[in-house]
Amino acid sequence: MQETLNYINENKQRFVDELFELLRIPSISADPAYKDDVLKCADVVAEYLKNAGADKVEVCQTKGYPIVFGEKMLNENLPTVLVYGHYDVQPADPLELWKKPPFEPYIEKTELHPEGAIFARGSADDKGQFFMHLKAFEAMMKTNTLPCNVKFILEGEEEVGSVSLGDFVNENKEKLSCDCILISDTHIYSNEQPTVTTGLRGLSYVEVEVEGPNRDLHSGLYGGAVPNPIHVLSRMIANLIDEDGHITIDGFYDNVETVSDSDRAEMNKLKDNPEEFKKSIGLNGVEGEKGYTTLERTSIRPTLDCNGIWGGYTGEGAKTVIPSKAFAKISMRLVPYQTPEEITEKFTKYFEKIAPENVKVKVTPHHGGMPYVLPTDTKEFLAAKQAMEAAFGKEVLPYRGGGSIPITAMFEQVLGAKSVLMGFGLDSDAIHSPNEHYGLFNFYKGIESIPLFFENYSK
């Protein structure tokens, strides 16, 4: 293993230079204007995979953007690790808030990253993180230390819901057969307190519509005599959560996992600093479900948030109307053992129930996903924990993330394998926001940890 670590150390600058090439490609899957760039990025990723030593590298066509596949099968009796990542990125808007152009990567030192951070769209989510796996694999191949079989599946549609991935996995079960799945698309708690993500919340996402009069009305002629859909919708949304932060939907908590006191105590070993938390997002205070810490509210408890609301006139100047309709988008983060189907149905029934009789309401379900948990007594978790402890030289704790990666539940259902969420970013990396960045320290620690995971898991 020391030979592998020596190789990594000797090639650090080249690894960054090659990552920069990948970051310069604006592979924005949400915008058709960037289609050629997404396709180019898939080809570049495939070339890096070949150069690292993978066999049977393919750019597999789907109904959407291609999936890059490659493998190195040493012996069918050895365990097989499937590495997942995505090469597509979020749109860079608003461009005016970036210090420098989002697809011209550069390194700058920050308070959290005194060794420097790579600034560019996709640096942390997920090009910088999946590229760690390619370079770790290269290091093991060049030093002849790869201890098990490895397969790679790198998609180009994660940022638009992985629309083609499910079909691809179902149609290629044998090709993708494995013993565990390794994913670096999450973050650690901090560089001082590294963590392995052991859980993710699920998701139910809906759009709601409230309809009042059959057309926009003059607010002078009709104001005070008819329901205003914006007012009605605002009251309805406000009534979805009570003063204790409790979601009021009938039966919403019926299937919520009860986390043991011992697990809650273990979780709260993480150094939760309320003042630092508030400062990092510019708030004077926090709120949430009564009886739970901030860490628990953002991980083991379900939530409901209005993500956007609109209706009526929002252009320049004034237009005095009572709008015919008002709309909102609402997301609910779910925990084991809630399902998106169950929660979407309960939300719909409750929203219809609390609507006044003088308006019509409509709920349109969008996408959803199942929650996921990796038990801390599994060989997958222990292999990751020990690998990161060796690389960081610190105790590594389990950590449940608040976000959602629906593919983890799908992988387990179709391939019968657990996913190890061994991410190395920080929650301050501004993913999906202007000035996204990824610390050099984190990038290198990831490349060092991955061969150790392979070694531990093989044992």
Coordinates of all heavy atoms in Angstrom, one line a residue, residues 90-142:
Q90 N -24.7 20.9 -12.7 CA -25.8 21.8 -12.6 C -25.6 23.0 -13.5 O -24.4 23.4 -13.8 CB -25.9 22.3 -11.2 CG -26.6 21.4 -10.2 CD -28.1 21.6 -10.3 OE1 -28.6 22.7 -10.3 NE2 -28.8 20.4 -10.3
P91 N -26.6 23.7 -14.0 CA -26.4 25.0 -14.7 C -25.6 26.0 -13.8 O -25.7 25.8 -12.5 CB -27.8 25.5 -14.9 CG -28.7 24.3 -14.9 CD -28.0 23.3 -13.9
A92 N -24.9 26.9 -14.4 CA -24.1 27.8 -13.6 C -24.8 29.1 -13.2 O -24.2 29.9 -12.5 CB -22.8 28.1 -14.4
D93 N -26.0 29.3 -13.6 CA -26.7 30.6 -13.3 C -26.9 30.8 -11.8 O -27.0 29.8 -11.1 CB -28.1 30.6 -14.0 CG -28.0 30.3 -15.4 OD1 -27.8 31.3 -16.2 OD2 -28.1 29.1 -15.8
P94 N -26.8 32.0 -11.3 CA -26.6 33.3 -12.0 C -25.1 33.5 -12.2 O -24.3 33.6 -11.2 CB -27.2 34.3 -11.1 CG -27.2 33.7 -9.7 CD -27.3 32.2 -9.9
L95 N -24.7 33.7 -13.4 CA -23.3 33.9 -13.8 C -22.7 35.1 -13.1 O -21.5 35.1 -12.8 CB -23.2 34.0 -15.3 CG -23.6 32.7 -16.1 CD1 -23.6 33.0 -17.6 CD2 -22.7 31.5 -15.8
E96 N -23.4 36.2 -12.9 CA -22.8 37.4 -12.4 C -22.3 37.2 -11.0 O -21.6 38.1 -10.5 CB -23.8 38.6 -12.5 CG -25.1 38.4 -11.6 CD -26.2 37.6 -12.2 OE1 -26.0 37.0 -13.3 OE2 -27.3 37.7 -11.6
L97 N -22.8 36.2 -10.3 CA -22.3 36.0 -8.9 C -21.0 35.1 -8.8 O -20.5 35.0 -7.7 CB -23.4 35.3 -8.1 CG -24.7 36.1 -7.9 CD1 -25.7 35.3 -7.0 CD2 -24.5 37.5 -7.4
W98 N -20.5 34.6 -9.9 CA -19.3 33.9 -9.9 C -18.1 34.9 -9.9 O -18.1 35.9 -10.6 CB -19.1 33.0 -11.1 CG -20.0 31.8 -11.0 CD1 -21.4 31.7 -11.3 CD2 -19.6 30.5 -10.7 NE1 -21.8 30.4 -11.2 CE2 -20.8 29.6 -10.8 CE3 -18.4 29.9 -10.3 CZ2 -20.8 28.3 -10.6 CZ3 -18.4 28.5 -10.1 CH2 -19.5 27.7 -10.2
K99 N -17.1 34.6 -9.1 CA -15.9 35.5 -9.1 C -15.2 35.4 -10.4 O -14.6 36.4 -10.9 CB -14.9 35.1 -7.9 CG -15.4 35.3 -6.6 CD -14.3 35.2 -5.6 CE -14.7 34.2 -4.5 NZ -13.5 33.9 -3.6
K100 N -15.1 34.2 -11.0 CA -14.5 34.0 -12.3 C -15.4 33.1 -13.1 O -16.3 32.4 -12.5 CB -13.1 33.4 -12.1 CG -12.1 34.3 -11.5 CD -10.7 33.7 -11.4 CE -9.7 34.6 -10.7 NZ -8.4 34.0 -10.7
P101 N -15.3 33.0 -14.4 CA -16.2 32.1 -15.2 C -16.2 30.7 -14.6 O -15.2 30.1 -14.3 CB -15.5 32.1 -16.6 CG -14.9 33.5 -16.7 CD -14.3 33.7 -15.3
P102 N -17.4 30.1 -14.6 CA -17.6 28.8 -13.9 C -16.9 27.6 -14.5 O -16.7 26.6 -13.8 CB -19.1 28.6 -13.9 CG -19.6 29.5 -15.0 CD -18.7 30.6 -15.0
F103 N -16.6 27.7 -15.8 CA -15.9 26.6 -16.4 C -14.4 26.9 -16.8 O -13.9 26.3 -17.7 CB -16.7 26.2 -17.7 CG -18.1 25.6 -17.3 CD1 -19.2 26.4 -17.5 CD2 -18.2 24.4 -16.7 CE1 -20.5 26.0 -17.1 CE2 -19.5 23.9 -16.4 CZ -20.6 24.7 -16.5
E104 N -13.9 27.8 -16.0 CA -12.5 28.1 -16.1 C -11.9 27.9 -14.7 O -11.7 28.8 -13.9 CB -12.2 29.6 -16.6 CG -12.7 29.8 -18.0 CD -12.4 31.2 -18.5 OE1 -11.7 32.0 -17.8 OE2 -13.0 31.6 -19.5
P105 N -11.6 26.6 -14.4 CA -11.2 26.3 -13.0 C -9.9 27.0 -12.6 O -9.0 27.3 -13.4 CB -10.9 24.8 -13.1 CG -10.8 24.5 -14.5 CD -11.5 25.5 -15.3
Y106 N -9.8 27.3 -11.3 CA -8.7 27.9 -10.7 C -8.6 27.5 -9.2 O -9.6 27.0 -8.7 CB -8.7 29.5 -10.8 CG -9.8 30.1 -10.0 CD1 -9.6 30.7 -8.8 CD2 -11.1 30.2 -10.6 CE1 -10.6 31.3 -8.0 CE2 -12.1 30.8 -9.9 CZ -11.9 31.3 -8.6 OH -12.9 31.9 -7.9
I107 N -7.4 27.7 -8.6 CA -7.2 27.4 -7.2 C -7.0 28.6 -6.4 O -6.3 29.6 -6.8 CB -6.0 26.5 -7.1 CG1 -6.2 25.1 -7.7 CG2 -5.6 26.2 -5.6 CD1 -5.0 24.2 -7.8
E108 N -7.7 28.7 -5.3 CA -7.6 29.8 -4.4 C -7.7 29.3 -2.9 O -8.5 28.4 -2.6 CB -8.8 30.8 -4.6 CG -8.8 32.0 -3.8 CD -9.9 33.0 -4.2 OE1 -9.8 33.6 -5.3 OE2 -10.8 33.2 -3.4
K109 N -6.9 29.9 -2.1 CA -6.9 29.5 -0.6 C -8.1 30.2 0.0 O -8.5 31.3 -0.3 CB -5.6 30.0 0.0 CG -4.4 29.2 -0.5 CD -3.1 29.6 0.3 CE -1.9 28.8 -0.2 NZ -0.7 29.2 0.4
T110 N -8.7 29.5 1.0 CA -9.8 30.0 1.8 C -9.6 29.7 3.2 O -8.7 29.0 3.6 CB -11.2 29.4 1.3 OG1 -11.3 28.1 1.8 CG2 -11.4 29.5 -0.2
E111 N -10.5 30.3 4.1 CA -10.3 30.0 5.5 C -10.5 28.5 5.8 O -9.7 28.0 6.6 CB -11.4 30.8 6.3 CG -11.3 30.7 7.8 CD -12.4 31.5 8.5 OE1 -13.1 32.3 7.9 OE2 -12.6 31.3 9.7
L112 N -11.4 27.8 5.2 CA -11.6 26.4 5.4 C -10.6 25.6 4.6 O -10.4 24.4 4.9 CB -13.0 26.0 5.0 CG -14.1 26.4 6.0 CD1 -15.5 25.9 5.4 CD2 -13.9 25.7 7.4
H113 N -10.0 26.1 3.6 CA -9.1 25.4 2.7 C -7.8 26.1 2.6 O -7.5 26.7 1.5 CB -9.7 25.2 1.3 CG -11.0 24.4 1.3 ND1 -11.0 23.1 1.6 CD2 -12.3 24.8 1.1 CE1 -12.3 22.7 1.6 NE2 -13.1 23.7 1.3
P114 N -6.9 26.1 3.6 CA -5.7 26.9 3.6 C -4.7 26.3 2.5 O -3.8 27.0 2.1 CB -5.1 26.7 5.0 CG -5.8 25.5 5.6 CD -7.2 25.5 4.9
E115 N -4.9 25.1 2.2 CA -4.0 24.5 1.1 C -4.6 24.8 -0.3 O -3.9 24.5 -1.3 CB -4.0 23.0 1.3 CG -3.3 22.5 2.6 CD -3.3 21.0 2.7 OE1 -3.6 20.3 1.7 OE2 -3.1 20.5 3.8
G116 N -5.7 25.4 -0.4 CA -6.3 25.8 -1.6 C -7.5 24.9 -2.0 O -7.7 23.8 -1.5
A117 N -8.4 25.5 -2.7 CA -9.6 24.8 -3.2 C -9.8 25.1 -4.7 O -9.4 26.1 -5.2 CB -10.9 25.3 -2.5
I118 N -10.3 24.1 -5.4 CA -10.5 24.2 -6.8 C -11.9 24.8 -7.0 O -12.9 24.2 -6.6 CB -10.5 22.8 -7.5 CG1 -9.1 22.1 -7.2 CG2 -10.8 22.9 -9.0 CD1 -9.1 20.6 -7.6
F119 N -12.0 25.9 -7.7 CA -13.2 26.6 -7.9 C -13.7 26.4 -9.4 O -12.9 26.7 -10.3 CB -13.1 28.1 -7.7 CG -13.1 28.6 -6.3 CD1 -12.0 28.4 -5.4 CD2 -14.3 29.1 -5.7 CE1 -12.1 28.7 -4.1 CE2 -14.3 29.5 -4.4 CZ -13.2 29.3 -3.6
A120 N -14.8 25.8 -9.5 CA -15.4 25.5 -10.9 C -16.7 24.8 -10.7 O -16.9 24.1 -9.7 CB -14.5 24.7 -11.7
R121 N -17.6 25.0 -11.6 CA -18.9 24.2 -11.6 C -18.5 22.7 -11.8 O -17.8 22.3 -12.7 CB -19.9 24.6 -12.6 CG -21.1 23.8 -12.8 CD -21.9 23.6 -11.5 NE -22.9 24.7 -11.3 CZ -23.0 25.3 -10.2 NH1 -22.2 25.1 -9.1 NH2 -23.9 26.3 -10.1
G122 N -19.0 21.8 -10.9 CA -18.7 20.4 -10.9 C -17.5 20.0 -10.1 O -17.2 18.8 -10.1
S123 N -16.8 20.9 -9.5 CA -15.6 20.6 -8.8 C -15.8 19.6 -7.7 O -15.1 18.6 -7.5 CB -14.8 21.8 -8.3 OG -15.7 22.6 -7.5
A124 N -16.9 19.8 -6.9 CA -17.3 18.9 -5.8 C -18.4 18.0 -6.2 O -18.5 16.9 -5.7 CB -17.7 19.8 -4.6
D125 N -19.3 18.4 -7.1 CA -20.5 17.7 -7.5 C -20.6 17.5 -9.0 O -21.1 18.3 -9.7 CB -21.7 18.5 -7.0 CG -23.0 17.8 -7.2 OD1 -23.0 16.5 -7.4 OD2 -24.0 18.5 -7.3
D126 N -20.0 16.4 -9.6 CA -19.4 15.3 -8.9 C -18.1 15.0 -9.6 O -17.5 13.9 -9.3 CB -20.4 14.1 -8.9 CG -19.9 12.9 -8.1 OD1 -19.3 13.0 -7.0 OD2 -20.0 11.8 -8.7
K127 N -17.6 15.9 -10.5 CA -16.4 15.5 -11.2 C -15.2 15.3 -10.3 O -14.5 14.4 -10.5 CB -16.2 16.6 -12.3 CG -17.2 16.6 -13.4 CD -16.9 17.7 -14.4 CE -17.9 17.7 -15.6 NZ -17.7 18.8 -16.6
G128 N -15.0 16.3 -9.4 CA -13.9 16.1 -8.5 C -13.9 14.9 -7.7 O -12.9 14.2 -7.4
Q129 N -15.1 14.5 -7.3 CA -15.3 13.3 -6.4 C -15.2 12.0 -7.2 O -14.5 11.0 -6.8 CB -16.6 13.4 -5.6 CG -16.6 14.6 -4.7 CD -17.2 14.2 -3.3 OE1 -16.7 13.4 -2.6 NE2 -18.3 14.8 -3.0
F130 N -15.8 11.9 -8.4 CA -15.7 10.6 -9.1 C -14.3 10.5 -9.7 O -13.8 9.4 -9.9 CB -16.8 10.4 -10.1 CG -16.5 10.9 -11.5 CD1 -15.6 10.3 -12.3 CD2 -17.2 12.0 -12.0 CE1 -15.4 10.8 -13.6 CE2 -17.0 12.5 -13.3 CZ -16.1 11.9 -14.1
F131 N -13.6 11.6 -10.0 CA -12.3 11.6 -10.6 C -11.3 11.0 -9.6 O -10.3 10.4 -10.0 CB -11.9 13.0 -11.0 CG -10.8 13.0 -12.1 CD1 -11.0 12.5 -13.4 CD2 -9.5 13.5 -11.8 CE1 -10.1 12.5 -14.3 CE2 -8.5 13.5 -12.8 CZ -8.8 13.0 -14.1
M132 N -11.6 11.2 -8.3 CA -10.7 10.5 -7.3 C -10.6 9.0 -7.5 O -9.6 8.4 -7.3 CB -11.3 10.8 -5.9 CG -11.4 12.2 -5.4 SD -12.0 12.4 -3.7 CE -13.5 11.4 -3.8
H133 N -11.8 8.4 -7.8 CA -11.8 7.0 -8.0 C -11.0 6.6 -9.3 O -10.3 5.5 -9.2 CB -13.2 6.5 -8.2 CG -14.0 6.6 -6.9 ND1 -14.0 5.6 -6.0 CD2 -14.8 7.6 -6.4 CE1 -14.8 6.0 -5.0 NE2 -15.3 7.2 -5.2
L134 N -11.0 7.4 -10.3 CA -10.2 7.0 -11.5 C -8.8 7.1 -11.2 O -8.0 6.2 -11.6 CB -10.6 8.0 -12.7 CG -11.7 7.6 -13.6 CD1 -13.0 7.4 -12.8 CD2 -11.9 8.6 -14.7
K135 N -8.4 8.1 -10.4 CA -6.9 8.3 -10.1 C -6.5 7.2 -9.1 O -5.3 6.7 -9.1 CB -6.7 9.7 -9.6 CG -6.9 10.8 -10.6 CD -6.0 10.6 -11.9 CE -6.7 10.0 -13.0 NZ -5.8 9.9 -14.2
A136 N -7.3 6.9 -8.1 CA -7.0 5.8 -7.1 C -6.9 4.5 -7.9 O -6.0 3.7 -7.6 CB -8.1 5.8 -6.1
F137 N -7.8 4.2 -8.8 CA -7.7 3.0 -9.6 C -6.4 3.0 -10.4 O -5.7 2.0 -10.5 CB -8.9 2.9 -10.5 CG -8.9 1.8 -11.5 CD1 -8.9 0.5 -11.1 CD2 -8.9 2.1 -12.9 CE1 -8.9 -0.5 -12.0 CE2 -8.8 1.1 -13.8 CZ -8.9 -0.2 -13.4
E138 N -6.1 4.1 -11.0 CA -4.8 4.2 -11.8 C -3.6 3.9 -10.9 O -2.7 3.1 -11.3 CB -4.7 5.6 -12.4 CG -3.4 5.8 -13.1 CD -3.1 7.3 -13.4 OE1 -4.0 8.0 -13.9 OE2 -2.0 7.8 -13.2
A139 N -3.6 4.4 -9.7 CA -2.5 4.2 -8.8 C -2.4 2.7 -8.4 O -1.3 2.2 -8.4 CB -2.7 5.1 -7.5
M140 N -3.5 2.1 -8.2 CA -3.5 0.6 -7.9 C -3.0 -0.2 -9.1 O -2.3 -1.2 -8.9 CB -4.9 0.2 -7.4 CG -5.2 0.7 -6.0 SD -6.8 0.1 -5.3 CE -8.0 1.0 -6.3
M141 N -3.5 0.2 -10.3 CA -3.1 -0.5 -11.5 C -1.6 -0.4 -11.7 O -0.9 -1.3 -12.1 CB -3.9 -0.1 -12.7 CG -5.4 -0.5 -12.6 SD -5.6 -2.3 -12.6 CE -4.9 -2.7 -14.3
K142 N -1.1 0.8 -11.6 CA 0.3 1.1 -11.9 C 1.3 0.5 -10.9 O 2.4 0.2 -11.2 CB 0.6 2.6 -11.9 CG -0.1 3.4 -13.1 CD 0.4 3.0 -14.4 CE -0.3 3.8 -15.5 NZ 0.1 3.4 -16.9

